[in-house]
Amino acid sequence: SSLESGWEATTPNDSLDHRPTFAQTEGRDPSNEEILGYIERFKLQEFLSDIVMCVAKYMPKDPFEFIQDHITDLVNRHRGKHNILAAPDAAKRVHFAPDTLSISLAQPKVGPEE
């Protein structure tokens, strides 16, 4: 498979365990061209590089906790920078009550502006 990475969820019932994979929905693994197109479409390589540079800028004691604490803001900045809209069903995937957040975030655009 082109997606073999050796990575496996270490926590039973990890949130990724509940999402269907491309192979499960399409009946095949994505081609290398499809993977590269997907990475480019969402500018994922740039996004991940930006995360690493942000961690390097602050050099927190626990970089994983830092990323976990700031991932929503980093995603929102990336979406805004590249005008990448959230999927229409993104709100359904939120597993926390927005009023429990300690930060306030602008609502992401979910469709074309009128």
Side-chain angles (χ1 to χ4, degrees):
S1 164
S2 56
L3 296 178
E4 295 292 327
S5 68
W7 179 88
E8 291 185 29
T10 56
T11 306
N13 294 318
D14 183 291
S15 66
L16 293 175
D17 290 341
H18 302 288
R19 300 209 33 107
T21 64
F22 182 92
Q24 289 169 330
T25 59
E26 299 296 319
R28 62 178 178 81
D29 284 339
S31 68
N32 287 337
E33 292 79 22
E34 288 171 312
I35 292 169
L36 291 174
Y38 184 84
I39 289 169
E40 177 55 32
R41 185 171 101 208
F42 292 103
K43 311 260 185 257
L44 293 175
Q45 188 168 354
E46 177 186 327
F47 174 65
L48 295 173
S49 179
D50 287 348
I51 291 172
V52 170
M53 295 309 295
C54 186
V55 170
K57 177 179 179 180
Y58 292 97
M59 295 185 74
K61 289 182 181 185
D62 185 339
F64 305 106
E65 184 177 342
F66 179 86
I67 292 168
Q68 192 172 18
D69 289 347
H70 299 287
I71 193 69
T72 300
D73 289 331
L74 293 165
V75 168
N76 286 338
R77 285 182 188 180
H78 185 74
R79 284 185 188 280
K81 180 179 177 181
H82 296 289
N83 198 28
I84 299 172
L85 303 178
D89 67 341
K92 295 176 189 172
R93 294 191 305 261
V94 175
H95 299 288
F96 55 84
D99 60 327
T100 63
L101 295 175
S102 60
I103 56 175
S104 62
L105 301 171
Q107 293 295 323
K109 292 187 244 179
V110 292
E113 291 185 12
E114 297 183 82

